[in-house]
Amino acid sequence: MAWALVSTIKDQLSPFITSEFTSIANVKGEVQNLESKFHTIQAMLSDAEERQVKEEAVKLWLDKLKDVSYQMDDVLDEWNTAMIKAEIEKQQKEFEEEEKAETSAAKKRKVWPLISVPTLFQHRDIAHKIKELNQKLNEIDREGGMYKFVLTRGNEEVERPKTTSFVDVSDILGRDKVRDDLVSILLGKSSEEGINPQVISLVGMGGIGKTALAQLGFNHRQVKAHFDTKIWVCVSEPFDQCKVARAIIQAFAFGGGDSNVTELQSLLEQICELIKGRKCFLVFDDVWTEDSTLWEPFRLALQNGAPGSKILITTRKNIVAKMMGSTYMINLEVLSDKDCWLVFSKIALCDKNSEECKQLEHIGRKIAKKCKGLPLAAKTLGSLMRFKKSMEQWEMVLCSRLWEFEDVERGLFAPLLLSYYDLPSPLKRCFSYCGVFPKDYVFSSDNLVFMWMAQGYIKSKGNMEMEIIARDYFENLAIRSFFQDFEKDEDDSKIKRCKMHDIVHDFAQLISKNECFSISSDIELGSDYKTARHLQLEIPINTQFPKSIYSARNLRTLIFVYQSDYNLSTLFQHFKCLRTLTLNFEYGDTLEELPDAVENFIHLRYLNLVNYRGDRLPETICNLRNLQILNIIITGVKFQKLPTGMGKLINLRHFILDLRYNWVKLEFPRGFGRLSSLRTLSYFNISGKDDSERCKLGELRNLNHLERTLTINGLGSNVYEAENAQLKKKIGLRTLILRFDKWDSEKIIREIDVLVLNALEPPPNLEHLHIECYRGSTIFYNWAMSLTKLKVLYISDCYYLEHLPPLGKLLFLESIEIHEAYSVKKVGVEFLGIDELEKKKKDDIITIVFPNLKSLKFVYLDKWEEWNGIGEEDEEEEEDCIKRFTIMPRLQHLAIWVCPKLKSLPNFFHTAPLQNLKIFYSPFLRERCKRGTGEEWPKISHIPNINIDFKHLQRDGRELNPEMYWD
């Protein structure tokens, strides 16, 4: 970790030497000496970082070095910030001049010179700090010579992760019999009458696979079918009763439970009500507390479940299993050498050919034995050896001195140390940062990437974006088994969320000791936080703020989870070095206002506001010149306007607005288009009372780095601005949501909407398109066929839409939803994308229409009367069309909601491979789809699942009496 930090400082010092500052402040020699010393010290660091595990003196020396390095980083950042401020002021003058010039095309624009530079006082202050740090580094350099470190070069090269990234070992954990026994217990009746719910315990040391086995049981097909409700709760230490109760309630999202309640008794009453009459299966993972008084309220509340309910706990302590009243206790033993080798070799040898496997097997079995039967150790070591090809590399691991490291987890830290020291220096830094999070924390991969970027851990490489490099770092750590329990994105299979095994978390905290802290108590812990750099602080409800935290003046990360009232201005006075600030106000208590003092965080790169209910952001936020990521979750309806100086945040790369109430329309300021570094703009509102205040659509013109999702609100009235936005150049966008302005019955307004939509022309790589509140009668005939990669189309609240767009030839389209298209009366061949000339051709070429469409849904088309296929008016023509056109060959789901005038379905559904048909509140179709007698029945009888007005006619191919069966 120190190696990467020193390397970062060195990289900053080289250009600093040649800057105007060193000549003005007369410190060029001082800075050159600093660079030379950092270069010498860096050669010692690989050996020092490995020796610090056993040698406390070496660890103290490294701590001193890191402290000086952090201070130097702050000094350099102060200078860079001053230069950014000067550049912003220059741009502001130019922008103001351009604004004046708009009133007269002939007026000559004036270019303002750079008029603001760091003051003489700033020069002297920074020069003084550099001289002080040079003296400190001299002492550290001299002290380092005492330890006779082996001089080596560190490894900064991070390879891009392989596509064959994750190896599934869940089927070879050597736990088949234990798994089958567990499933049998879960499905069986209680052996002791009167006990409900029955408690089963999985007991064993850390890393032995308790959670993995519990997950196998939890996700077992028969277990899923056996229980009405399944709930998984991570408990850990300390046992927070309210948090556990809220986690249970949140699993009943459909039940109406309020997880914002803060009193335990009210939470328990909700649990009683929610589980009443339900056969429940609850997993309490990683229980530590031996205090029966903490568990007793839950035992009583959970008795309200239906007979046959079960609770499964995982714990390292037998006494915990007994305290919770376990009727079955399964003690997990270590894996056999054979099973341990299977786990290890499945990963370690997965990318090697048969000859390499033969050569490495003998030494590999010796390494696997060192895992001592622990699945986590086998998985970790397997992930390490996967990237080592030669016999010599495998022998070096077998003979490493790190195997001598003793710890309470029977050697689990040794495999982790081997894997950690094998990481390139940037990855070591990223991994150790994870020590700031509490156990059982659910990581958002995007959020973690942003935090690494904010700390300066990610170096740009050529033209590769920082975000891509950071994502590669995350994937590398995941491949090496530092993360687990992956939740992946359905569209691109990238990891969205994951967790860290509690032993790996303990290891991360060991590596980052005295730098990373995670505190979930108001108790004054007596710790010295002067060395703390990263802090997660969660203060329980109705408790005092622990003032000892104020000593952590060098904090670079503060994740503040607070559940009560607190004066943030006081907090903001203490932590001036922050790069990352998250304010998360949970459980009903929300952040009402961000203090003006936020401008004190001159180094801040990432500001994350969760549950913000204020009516504004302070104007001073625009003075955060280094800000790269601004993420705001707005839960209230008062927030109406963004600061007018937003255009000064020229380093902003990600502006993420999560509006929990869609009808809230934020007023965006003029000058927003100056944020040309933006990669993420989740929401953009065209606003303002008149042209002098309006944030126009044309502000998007130069924001061509935008990626992922963009929502544009308030479209309409200005065709020129729609063209000026140049959406087609935003080739990184994948999802586009277009919301037009208020409905208007005037014909001229509706015609303008058509022109605006045509002028927008989305980028060709678009995969998801939403169009809402559009007032035209037709949709995008000009550019529809250019969206060759479109997968999802959603059209909503388009009251005047009369004709559906011609979509049938879009090759990748998978899902279509049409909502509230009240003027549509007929759907015919134009929807299929087939014109009359094509229909009448006489050739043998087969045309596939909607080749990849899987889901089709219509909701609230109250004037829709006809839905025709091809040639249905003429039997001879229809016969010919059946031969020449294949329609919707992959359609799985069809839903028709509230289409009261629709009388029939097109004939091509007879051959479509539909699996699910749902028809609700459509009386004509309900009558015509009656089993056997309905005119539409021959078209749909082959569909396995048919549900009409919430009654099943067929389920999984089985006929059901709709009068008797209610879903």
Side-chain angles (χ1 to χ4, degrees):
M1 184 173 171
W3 201 97
L5 176 57
V6 169
S7 177
T8 300
I9 301 300
K10 274 180 55 193
D11 289 346
Q12 293 182 73
L13 283 171
S14 296
F16 191 62
I17 290 172
T18 59
S19 73
E20 64 178 84
F21 171 80
T22 54
S23 57
I24 295 172
N26 197 26
V27 292
K28 188 169 186 176
E30 295 277 354
V31 179
Q32 286 175 328
N33 284 337
L34 273 171
E35 185 186 37
S36 176
K37 289 189 187 76
F38 273 122
H39 186 81
T40 303
I41 289 171
Q42 190 177 32
M44 308 176 187
L45 291 181
S46 289
D47 187 41
E49 288 189 323
E50 197 165 317
R51 284 171 56 181
Q52 70 169 321
V53 177
K54 285 192 170 184
E55 299 178 42
E56 183 65 22
V58 173
K59 187 179 188 319
L60 292 173
W61 178 81
L62 278 172
D63 289 343
K64 291 178 188 176
L65 174 62
K66 284 189 283 188
D67 187 58
V68 170
S69 300
Y70 279 128
Q71 290 180 55
M72 190 67 230
D73 188 41
D74 288 339
V75 169
L76 294 173
D77 203 51
E78 283 180 37
W79 172 256
N80 289 331
T81 302
M83 297 305 295
I84 292 170
K85 179 183 178 183
E87 177 62 24
I88 291 172
E89 290 181 1
K90 174 188 173 184
Q91 290 186 12
Q92 183 67 20
K93 290 289 184 182
E94 292 175 350
F95 175 70
E96 290 172 1
E97 192 64 22
E98 287 175 1
E99 290 284 284
K100 294 176 185 176
E102 283 185 3
T103 59
S104 172
K107 187 173 180 179
K108 185 177 179 181
R109 292 182 179 177
K110 182 178 179 181
V111 178
W112 288 74
L114 180 63
I115 61 170
S116 176
V117 296
T119 64
L120 183 62
F121 173 79
Q122 286 176 302
H123 282 114
R124 288 175 176 170
D125 182 50
I126 292 172
H128 178 70
K129 289 176 181 177
I130 287 174
K131 289 176 181 178
E132 278 190 346
L133 292 173
N134 218 344
Q135 292 172 3
K136 290 181 181 180
L137 200 61
N138 273 332
E139 181 60 33
I140 291 169
D141 190 20
R142 282 194 295 271
E143 186 181 339
M146 298 165 46
Y147 299 109
K148 300 185 177 357
F149 293 120
V150 176
L151 303 184
T152 57
R153 290 183 62 190
N155 176 21
E156 278 205 294
E157 290 300 314
V158 181
E159 292 184 10
R160 297 211 71 182
K162 296 177 174 58
T163 54
T164 56
S165 50
F166 306 104
V167 180
D168 182 14
V169 294
S170 61
D171 58 333
I172 55 164
L173 287 174
R175 302 292 192 197
D176 292 353
K177 184 179 184 308
V178 184
R179 179 201 61 205
D180 293 343
D181 289 345
L182 174 61
V183 170
S184 179
I185 294 169
L186 292 174
L187 298 178
K189 292 183 178 179
S190 174
S191 61
E192 297 185 36
E193 293 298 327
I195 296 179
N196 191 62
Q198 186 183 37
V199 179
I200 305 107
S201 295
L202 291 172
V203 184
M205 70 179 70
I208 204 165
K210 301 181 297 296
T211 299
L213 183 59
Q215 287 171 337
L216 287 174
F218 190 78
N219 295 316
H220 193 277
R221 179 178 54 82
Q222 289 177 278
V223 172
K224 285 182 178 180
H226 185 71
F227 293 97
D228 299 324
T229 302
K230 298 192 305 140
I231 299 169
W232 185 289
V233 180
C234 293
V235 181
S236 291
E237 187 73 7
F239 190 105
D240 186 326
Q241 289 177 299
C242 288
K243 186 177 287 187
V244 171
R246 280 191 290 266
I248 294 172
I249 291 168
Q250 285 167 356
F252 285 93
F254 60 88
D258 181 7
S259 61
N260 288 328
V261 176
T262 56
E263 294 80 15
L264 178 62
Q265 186 56 42
S266 297
L267 292 168
L268 292 170
E269 288 172 1
Q270 284 190 47
I271 291 173
C272 288
E273 189 63 32
L274 288 170
I275 70 169
K276 186 183 294 183
R278 294 180 177 273
K279 186 159 63 173
C280 301
F281 174 34
L282 292 93
V283 176
F284 290 107
D285 186 37
D286 196 26
V287 183
W288 286 80
T289 183
E290 300 172 19
D291 187 349
S292 61
T293 61
L294 295 176
W295 164 242
E296 185 63 15
F298 290 93
R299 186 186 67 80
L300 295 173
L302 295 172
Q303 286 178 351
N304 285 277
S309 294
K310 303 282 170 62
I311 295 174
L312 176 64
I313 70 164
T314 70
T315 180
R316 299 187 197 180
K317 301 178 179 181
N318 278 292
I319 191 171
V320 171
K322 292 176 182 176
M323 179 273 293
M324 294 185 75
S326 301
T327 54
Y328 287 97
M329 195 181 302
I330 301 174
N331 286 287
L332 287 187
E333 303 296 335
V334 296
L335 295 178
S336 67
D337 287 348
K338 177 184 175 183
D339 288 329
C340 206
W341 162 248
L342 285 173
V343 175
F344 171 84
S345 62
K346 178 80 179 278
I347 303 174
L349 302 177
C350 71
D351 296 325
K352 297 175 175 64
N353 60 43
S354 58
E355 188 60 34
E356 288 174 321
C357 292
K358 283 181 184 178
Q359 291 176 355
L360 297 172
E361 181 172 348
H362 178 68
I363 192 169
R365 287 186 179 273
K366 290 182 179 180
I367 295 173
K369 274 195 172 185
K370 287 185 173 289
C371 297
K372 300 180 180 179
L374 295 174
L376 177 62
K379 186 179 177 184
T380 302
L381 274 176
S383 299
L384 169 65
M385 304 315 296
R386 178 181 179 181
F387 300 99
K388 298 190 178 299
K389 302 294 184 183
S390 69
M391 181 75 74
E392 291 74 21
Q393 289 175 314
W394 282 50
E395 285 176 346
M396 284 179 65
V397 171
L398 180 64
C399 300
S400 172
R401 63 185 179 183
L402 291 174
W403 288 114
E404 300 168 11
F405 184 75
E406 296 293 334
D407 70 284
V408 295
E409 294 297 341
R410 292 183 56 188
L412 250 178
F413 277 4
L416 289 168
L417 278 168
L418 281 161
S419 293
Y420 174 76
Y421 285 125
D422 189 64
L423 293 173
S425 294
L427 291 188
K428 288 179 184 174
R429 209 171 179 194
C430 291
F431 168 73
S432 61
Y433 184 80
C434 296
V436 71
F437 300 99
K439 278 189 179 180
D440 297 317
Y441 183 80
V442 178
F443 292 90
S444 157
S445 57
D446 284 344
N447 193 43
L448 191 57
V449 159
F450 287 157
M451 288 183 166
W452 289 341
M453 288 170 51
Q455 297 302 317
Y457 295 170
I458 313 301
K459 292 183 182 179
S460 297
K461 188 184 296 183
N463 294 324
M464 192 177 293
E465 295 275 271
M466 272 198 302
E467 291 80 359
I468 294 175
I469 296 171
R471 186 78 203 187
D472 285 349
Y473 287 8
F474 175 81
E475 297 281 349
N476 262 297
L477 290 173
I479 292 167
R480 292 168 183 265
S481 299
F482 287 107
F483 296 114
Q484 62 178 30
D485 297 346
F486 303 118
E487 180 186 333
K488 296 186 179 181
D489 190 286
E490 291 181 2
D491 290 328
D492 57 17
S493 294
K494 286 185 177 179
I495 298 168
K496 291 169 57 179
R497 280 174 282 275
C498 63
K499 296 178 73 174
M500 184 175 276
H501 192 284
D502 54 358
I503 300 295
V504 179
H505 175 268
D506 291 344
F507 177 72
Q509 291 201 318
L510 173 73
I511 292 298
S512 60
K513 188 178 180 182
N514 298 328
E515 282 200 19
C516 292
F517 292 85
S518 181
I519 301 170
S520 57
S521 171
D522 66 323
I523 300 171
E524 295 290 351
L525 302 176
S527 299
D528 182 0
Y529 297 110
K530 290 179 182 178
T531 62
R533 305 290 173 180
H534 312 289
L535 171 64
Q536 158 113 2
L537 181 62
E538 184 168 354
I539 307 299
I541 300 166
N542 301 323
T543 54
Q544 295 297 313
F545 188 92
K547 293 184 179 179
S548 59
I549 299 299
Y550 290 146
S551 64
R553 290 186 171 272
N554 296 313
L555 276 185
R556 291 179 160 228
T557 300
L558 176 60
I559 304 167
F560 187 25
V561 183
Y562 201 60
Q563 303 168 22
S564 189
D565 188 29
Y566 178 74
N567 187 349
L568 284 177
S569 296
T570 305
L571 189 72
F572 283 15
Q573 299 303 319
H574 288 83
F575 308 123
K576 302 293 180 66
C577 299
L578 287 178
R579 267 68 174 171
T580 294
L581 174 62
T582 292
L583 298 174
N584 186 349
F585 284 66
E586 291 190 339
Y587 313 130
D589 291 299
T590 53
L591 179 57
E592 291 287 350
E593 187 175 343
L594 193 67
D596 288 341
V598 69
E599 68 177 341
N600 293 336
F601 303 130
I602 64 168
H603 303 286
L604 197 67
R605 266 75 172 171
Y606 182 19
L607 178 58
N608 184 19
L609 305 176
V610 182
N611 296 334
Y612 191 73
R613 292 191 68 180
D615 58 359
R616 65 178 184 91
L617 291 175
E619 194 66 35
T620 55
I621 203 172
C622 302
N623 294 327
L624 300 177
R625 281 104 183 172
N626 290 301
L627 198 65
Q628 295 177 345
I629 304 117
L630 178 57
N631 188 8
I632 315 174
I633 298 176
I634 299 173
T635 56
V637 295
K638 296 188 297 183
F639 197 100
Q640 298 293 327
K641 187 176 182 180
L642 292 175
T644 57
M646 284 284 289
K648 294 190 289 185
L649 299 176
I650 60 173
N651 286 311
L652 197 65
R653 297 173 71 89
H654 303 277
F655 182 37
I656 305 162
L657 279 172
D658 186 346
L659 301 172
R660 296 298 166 90
Y661 300 98
N662 284 334
W663 62 82
V664 175
K665 291 187 178 180
L666 298 187
E667 187 173 329
F668 274 56
R670 297 200 73 176
F672 201 86
R674 295 161 61 196
L675 305 182
S676 56
S677 295
L678 277 176
R679 268 66 179 168
T680 302
L681 178 59
S682 59
Y683 178 91
F684 181 81
N685 192 49
I686 303 162
S687 58
K689 296 177 182 177
D690 52 48
D691 277 352
S692 64
E693 297 181 6
R694 184 181 299 277
C695 177
K696 299 177 182 178
L697 187 58
E699 296 267 9
L700 296 174
R701 181 181 181 85
N702 295 319
L703 307 187
N704 290 331
H705 297 296
L706 293 180
E707 299 173 348
R708 298 192 184 183
T709 300
L710 171 63
T711 297
I712 303 176
N713 194 60
L715 283 165
S717 77
N718 196 318
V719 179
Y720 170 75
E721 287 295 322
E723 292 174 344
N724 202 28
Q726 294 288 293
L727 291 186
K728 62 185 176 183
K729 292 184 178 179
K730 282 77 171 158
I731 59 176
L733 286 178
R734 295 295 177 267
T735 298
L736 183 62
I737 301 172
L738 304 175
R739 291 183 183 144
F740 283 75
D741 221 329
K742 294 178 181 178
W743 302 299
D744 195 313
S745 60
E746 294 181 26
K747 186 176 180 182
I748 188 169
I749 299 295
R750 287 187 268 141
E751 289 174 351
I752 289 175
D753 270 12
V754 175
L755 296 174
V756 168
L757 188 59
N758 281 335
L760 282 171
E761 195 171 351
N765 293 332
L766 207 64
E767 295 178 1
H768 297 245
L769 176 62
H770 293 212
I771 300 174
E772 300 175 16
C773 302
Y774 172 72
R775 295 162 294 186
S777 59
T778 59
I779 284 185
F780 56 62
Y781 285 108
N782 283 6
W783 45 258
M785 292 305 104
S786 69
L787 299 180
T788 56
K789 297 182 180 180
L790 193 68
K791 293 181 180 178
V792 176
L793 176 65
Y794 180 92
I795 298 174
S796 176
D797 296 321
C798 298
Y799 283 22
Y800 304 106
L801 184 65
E802 297 175 0
H803 307 286
L804 297 186
L807 302 169
K809 291 181 181 178
L810 291 179
L811 298 181
F812 293 96
L813 196 59
E814 296 179 3
S815 174
I816 300 174
E817 287 196 30
I818 312 291
H819 291 243
E820 292 94 23
Y822 292 143
S823 297
V824 170
K825 294 181 178 180
K826 180 179 178 180
V827 175
V829 292
E830 77 287 345
F831 178 57
L832 302 176
I834 301 171
D835 58 33
E836 287 297 320
L837 288 176
E838 189 175 6
K839 189 173 70 170
K840 293 176 180 178
K841 277 183 182 179
K842 300 296 181 181
D843 55 40
D844 296 327
I845 299 173
I846 296 176
T847 301
I848 301 178
V849 180
F850 288 112
N852 279 295
L853 190 67
K854 298 174 184 174
S855 178
L856 180 58
K857 186 172 185 177
F858 297 96
V859 180
Y860 289 109
L861 278 70
D862 63 353
K863 293 182 181 178
W864 185 21
E865 298 177 1
E866 294 182 48
W867 188 0
N868 299 324
I870 305 176
E872 292 186 14
E873 299 85 359
D874 185 312
E875 285 189 23
E876 184 178 337
E877 184 181 35
E878 183 178 13
E879 187 69 27
D880 179 62
C881 288
I882 289 173
K883 294 176 182 178
R884 294 176 45 242
F885 294 95
T886 300
I887 301 174
M888 303 184 188
R890 301 185 67 188
L891 188 66
Q892 301 285 305
H893 309 282
L894 173 64
I896 300 171
W897 287 64
V898 196
C899 299
K901 296 185 178 181
L902 184 60
K903 298 180 179 65
S904 64
L905 300 173
N907 288 342
F908 58 75
F909 282 134
H910 179 68
T911 57
L914 275 164
Q915 297 298 304
N916 297 281
L917 171 63
K918 295 182 179 180
I919 299 173
F920 302 138
Y921 307 120
S922 303
F924 285 115
L925 284 183
R926 181 179 61 230
E927 291 301 314
R928 293 171 63 93
C929 287
K930 283 188 174 181
R931 180 194 309 284
T933 60
E935 294 177 56
E936 303 300 304
W937 183 251
K939 301 176 187 177
I940 66 171
S941 60
H942 65 290
I943 303 173
N945 297 287
I946 302 174
N947 188 314
I948 297 181
D949 287 344
F950 302 100
K951 298 177 182 179
H952 270 87
L953 272 66
Q954 292 184 173
R955 170 174 264 187
D956 297 330
R958 294 177 292 116
E959 294 184 7
L960 297 169
N961 184 344
E963 302 303 322
M964 300 295 294
Y965 189 90
W966 188 272
D967 186 28

